Amino acid sequence: MGPLVPNEVIGANWNFLIAFVIGIGFGFVLEQAGFSSSRKLAGMFYGYDTVVLKVFFTGAITAMLGLLFFSLFGWINLNLVYVNPTYLWSAIIGGVIMGVGFIAGGFCPGTSICAAAIGKIDAMIFIGGIFLGVFIFGEGFPLWEKLYYAMDLGAPKLNQVLGISGGFFAFLVIIAAAIMFWVGEWAEKKFPREEY
Amino acid sequence: MRARNITVGIMLLLGLVIAMVPENTTKPYKLTADQLLRAVNTGTHMIHPDYLAEWLINKDPSIQLVDVRSPDDFEKYHLPNAINIPLADILNPDYQVIWDQGVKFNVLYSNGSTDSNEAWMILRQLGYQNLGVLMGGLNYWTEVIMNPEEPPVTSPNDEIAKYEFRKGASQALGGGAATTKTATTDTEIKKPKIVPRKAKKAPQGGC
Amino acid sequence: MNNKYMNPYLAGFLLGIVLLMAFFFSGRGLGASGAVKSALVYGMDKVAPTHTVENAYFGHYVADDANPLNNWLVYEILGVIVGGFLSGALSRRLKLKIEHFPGISSKRRLVFALIGGVLFGFGSQLGRGCTSGSALTGMAVLSVGGFVTMAAIFGTAFAGAYFFRKNWIG
């Protein structure tokens, strides 16, 4: 049955409308969660507000479990779901650069767009920065092309690498998340914050 | 705090369930029973030996013969340029490229047409297209093409033309050196239309 | 609707449902920086078409006169703008302002926002996706790259928090 568009249950011309509706949901949830505030996002890294951790992991786990159950019931063909390819070095170095960008700018691209939508000027500047960063990457592409393609692992799933089932792996992620939530709430009590 | 306990509790419970159950690795059937029945009823997947002979003589590059018999049988005799995929192995991932494509028309054959029909049905249900079955299998092929029966002289012209063609085909395909007589059958041989594979475009990368 | 933020676990659950729907309908996850790239390529193509087509990285987005804006992520991000705006309007958070820790100036906040944006823009291209496209979506499909990127982003941000503490907690 699913995914509906790649499986041609729904015509491909609906795909952009679906994207738009899903985007509305995405933006709405991000804003409601408080991801439109850089101070809230950055709070994660100082322990005074771990809402990022909670939302991020609850979201990832919900979708992960949803996919596993959908697949179990035969509602979705996981072979038709896009799995990000893994190029190990660019994933690590790109992630490190993004991590510095996160703590410096207080946003990530999705949240900055959401924040700009409600009038945060710092978020608009951040988006300008993203444009510039993408531009620099593209213009200087030959310089880091080798790194970009280094260590191509295909599109492996972590549970396959570890040799366990997807379900069992999800269970481990949930346990890890439960511990992190507990630590996060402990930190929130330890590092008081003012309401903003 | 309460929200956390509820969230974690539900997630752990569902996680435990999903960790216990085996993964769903079944190959989903793409056709409903109705669709398949319709395909079976129209019988358009049945390829008459005459048609096949014509394509083989013309060395039509878009035809791929697939022998679903055992490798032993295949060794002893097979149609020219056929490849061997025994019935038991048709779902082997190695052969997926043979089925999942949109450039060639696969003609399945076995001795009779039972095995090839079964293979056709399974593959068709998995959604693969461009599949045909040699009508009557090798048995009928031998009867019709390899040892054609000469029609009585009083037969209508097209019967005789057909015979001439079969005789020619027999020589051409059976290894005979005689020049082939190109088919002059009145009925235009309709080649099955090859359905181009819809490029299942993997959605582009994330962010 | 009150103007408090939603319970994070509930928000996370809803986020997961949105992501799951993206998988279920379109067979792909969410993203953000890809839309920025599309918009950038579109703009570059208008300003300097030959240069854009010849660019090794951007070129294939405009090859054969393709319109880079005809992209799933572009429509999704338009939705994010609408959804974010709606949520802000409902919770009375629509306001033009520069939000920052009171201990720093607005100018300093903007400079660091720009730096952060540049780094994120660059890093998201190198890492083939940002927090939503690579980390969140990748984790949901159990992709190795998703977990690696997630660990790298959050690990670095935690490790670097000390050096940027003046900007956030003084």
Side-chain angles (χ1 to χ4, degrees):
Chain A
M1 193 158 82
L4 300 181
V5 173
N7 243 346
E8 287 148 13
V9 180
I10 296 181
N13 33 358
W14 288 95
N15 210 7
F16 288 154
L17 181 67
I18 292 167
F20 183 67
V21 174
I22 284 174
I24 291 177
F26 187 31
F28 192 90
V29 173
L30 284 183
E31 210 289 326
Q32 280 296 312
F35 280 23
S36 51
S37 160
S38 59
R39 293 187 66 197
K40 214 167 168 58
L41 293 167
M44 156 101 184
F45 305 111
Y46 298 100
Y48 64 80
D49 190 335
T50 57
V51 64
V52 174
L53 176 92
K54 297 174 198 169
V55 174
F56 187 86
F57 273 89
T58 314
I61 289 171
T62 304
M64 192 189 289
L65 282 175
L67 283 178
L68 290 169
F69 275 101
F70 274 29
S71 162
L72 181 71
F73 301 148
W75 295 350
I76 195 167
N77 180 359
L78 287 186
N79 295 326
L80 291 181
V81 170
Y82 176 78
V83 178
N84 323 35
T86 303
Y87 294 77
L88 199 58
W89 283 115
S90 60
I92 293 174
I93 296 172
V96 167
I97 294 171
M98 284 189 269
V100 178
F102 206 157
I103 195 68
F107 285 117
C108 62
T111 53
S112 68
I113 289 163
C114 187
I118 64 160
K120 298 275 167 71
I121 294 164
D122 42 335
M124 297 173 195
I125 299 291
F126 186 90
I127 295 172
I130 304 176
F131 270 98
L132 195 57
V134 177
F135 180 75
I136 294 169
F137 182 85
E139 288 301 315
F141 187 62
L143 295 174
W144 27 80
E145 188 170 3
K146 255 185 121 164
L147 176 63
Y148 187 68
Y149 291 115
M151 262 195 102
D152 176 7
L153 304 182
K157 295 192 176 190
L158 194 48
N159 63 299
Q160 291 166 346
V161 174
L162 299 174
I164 55 178
S165 79
F168 186 65
F169 182 75
F171 184 65
L172 296 182
V173 174
I174 292 168
I175 292 179
I179 295 170
M180 283 190 282
F181 293 162
W182 183 78
V183 172
E185 294 197 355
W186 167 82
E188 277 175 359
K189 274 191 218 105
K190 191 162 176 263
F191 303 101
R193 63 169 163 145
E194 45 187 320
E195 213 36 69
Y196 42 84
Chain B
M1 187 69 140
R2 229 184 97 236
R4 187 193 76 198
N5 291 342
I6 296 171
T7 312
V8 170
I10 295 174
M11 288 198 307
L12 278 175
L13 198 72
L14 291 177
L16 205 59
V17 172
I18 202 72
M20 299 294 202
V21 296
E23 262 169 281
N24 183 357
T25 50
T26 50
K27 289 177 195 271
Y29 274 0
K30 296 276 170 55
L31 264 63
T32 63
D34 281 350
Q35 287 171 311
L36 192 66
L37 182 64
R38 215 173 305 137
V40 171
N41 269 335
T42 55
T44 41
H45 64 289
M46 282 296 179
I47 309 293
H48 194 276
D50 280 345
Y51 293 2
L52 184 62
E54 163 96 4
W55 299 330
L56 291 185
I57 290 166
N58 293 342
K59 298 210 163 53
D60 191 324
S62 63
I63 299 294
Q64 172 71 64
L65 278 167
V66 181
D67 192 322
V68 299
R69 300 173 306 154
S70 68
D72 284 351
D73 287 348
F74 182 79
E75 278 301 306
K76 276 183 215 139
Y77 173 77
H78 60 86
L79 294 178
N81 297 326
I83 54 168
N84 183 218
I85 303 179
L87 179 58
D89 291 339
I90 56 169
L91 297 184
N92 188 321
D94 293 352
Y95 296 127
Q96 207 197 334
V97 288
I98 308 276
W99 314 125
D100 195 9
Q101 43 82 29
V103 280
K104 286 194 167 188
F105 187 84
N106 288 310
V107 179
L108 310 172
Y109 73 87
S110 47
N111 283 333
S113 47
T114 316
D115 283 4
S116 44
N117 248 328
E118 283 161 353
W120 175 84
M121 203 174 278
I122 293 168
L123 292 168
R124 197 63 199 89
Q125 288 197 67
L126 289 173
Y128 299 124
Q129 286 172 313
N130 305 325
L131 290 164
V133 169
L134 177 60
M135 189 189 287
L138 282 179
N139 296 339
Y140 190 52
W141 170 265
T142 321
E143 186 184 312
V144 175
I145 302 293
M146 291 302 151
N147 308 303
E149 200 180 310
E150 193 169 352
V153 276
T154 52
S155 306
N157 276 342
D158 56 336
E159 273 302 308
I160 294 181
K162 212 185 250 174
Y163 169 71
E164 291 292 324
F165 163 70
R166 287 171 179 172
K167 213 169 63 177
S170 155
Q171 280 161 348
L173 299 169
T179 46
T180 57
K181 192 165 176 236
T182 23
T184 46
T185 35
D186 300 332
T187 45
E188 176 133 341
I189 292 182
K190 250 204 348 229
K191 217 181 106 179
K193 223 171 76 196
I194 292 179
V195 187
R197 191 168 81 98
K198 299 235 179 65
K200 290 248 166 73
K201 248 202 323 203
Q204 280 168 15
C207 205
Chain C
M1 206 179 257
N2 71 24
N3 53 5
K4 278 261 175 259
Y5 292 122
M6 193 187 270
N7 179 291
Y9 296 107
L10 177 61
F13 171 73
L14 293 178
L15 175 63
I17 296 297
V18 170
L19 178 55
L20 183 59
M21 286 303 113
F23 286 126
F24 183 66
F25 281 97
S26 299
R28 54 160 307 142
L30 303 167
S33 59
V36 173
K37 176 167 65 187
S38 297
L40 176 71
V41 176
Y42 181 79
M44 284 172 69
D45 193 38
K46 286 276 166 282
V47 177
T50 6
H51 175 78
T52 312
V53 173
E54 280 166 10
N55 181 291
Y57 188 66
F58 298 129
H60 71 271
Y61 294 98
V62 283
D64 307 322
D65 288 326
N67 184 350
L69 293 185
N70 267 335
N71 177 298
W72 197 91
L73 284 174
V74 171
Y75 287 85
E76 181 232 41
I77 284 302
L78 290 177
V80 169
I81 296 171
V82 173
F85 183 84
L86 282 178
S87 164
L90 278 173
S91 300
R92 292 188 289 280
R93 281 194 285 264
L94 293 182
K95 198 180 165 205
L96 265 184
K97 67 166 175 181
I98 302 167
E99 192 192 38
H100 59 85
F101 173 65
I104 58 167
S105 67
S106 292
K107 196 176 148 206
R108 185 182 163 103
R109 167 72 189 119
L110 292 185
V111 168
F112 274 92
L114 184 69
I115 294 171
V118 171
L119 290 172
F120 233 117
F122 188 94
S124 66
Q125 296 316 301
L126 185 59
R128 295 176 173 77
C130 61
T131 359
S132 30
S134 183
L136 180 69
T137 303
M139 272 178 71
V141 293
L142 312 178
S143 150
V144 172
F147 280 91
V148 169
T149 309
M150 186 272 296
I153 293 176
F154 286 107
T156 310
F158 267 114
Y162 177 81
F163 303 100
F164 289 91
R165 66 188 185 284
K166 282 211 169 57
N167 284 355
W168 302 107
I169 54 172

